[in-house]
Amino acid sequence: MADWEIVETFGTEEQAAVVAGFLEAEGIATAIESQLFHQEPVSFGMLGQVHVKVRAEDLERARQLLEAHGESLLPAEDEDEPSDRAD
């Protein structure tokens, strides 16, 4: 994978999979490299990162796509919390 570059780094494999799926749908081949260490109850340092990689020739286009659509791909941090208000 010498010609592959990291386009984005995440803290979970699920986040990386969503972004990789988006890039794949846009015609950009991706690879996910997980450095998560599942034997410990916490993740720390380099053992808590998941990289989404693309081919070097697709790096700029992938960055542009993520810059334009990145915030809409992943839910906001507080969206996972149950709501206390009645609708």
Side-chain angles (χ1 to χ4, degrees):
M1 279 194 146
D3 63 334
W4 292 69
E5 300 284 337
I6 297 170
V7 69
E8 191 66 73
T9 300
F10 297 96
T12 70
E13 292 167 341
E14 292 80 10
Q15 291 172 323
V18 168
V19 169
F22 167 72
L23 292 173
E24 292 275 344
E26 294 292 329
I28 297 175
T30 64
I32 295 176
E33 178 185 65
S34 178
Q35 295 178 340
L36 292 178
F37 182 63
H38 295 285
Q39 298 300 315
E40 293 294 320
V42 295
S43 56
F44 51 91
M46 296 297 287
L47 296 178
Q49 296 181 343
V50 183
H51 303 296
V52 176
K53 293 184 169 187
V54 297
R55 290 192 172 108
E57 62 264 22
D58 294 326
L59 183 61
E60 186 60 35
R61 181 165 175 255
R63 285 184 175 157
Q64 290 173 353
L65 287 167
L66 292 179
E67 185 175 322
H69 302 285
E71 289 183 23
S72 64
L73 295 175
L74 301 174
E77 293 290 323
D78 59 338
E79 286 186 19
D80 291 337
E81 299 296 320
S83 174
D84 291 334
R85 69 173 193 200
D87 289 327

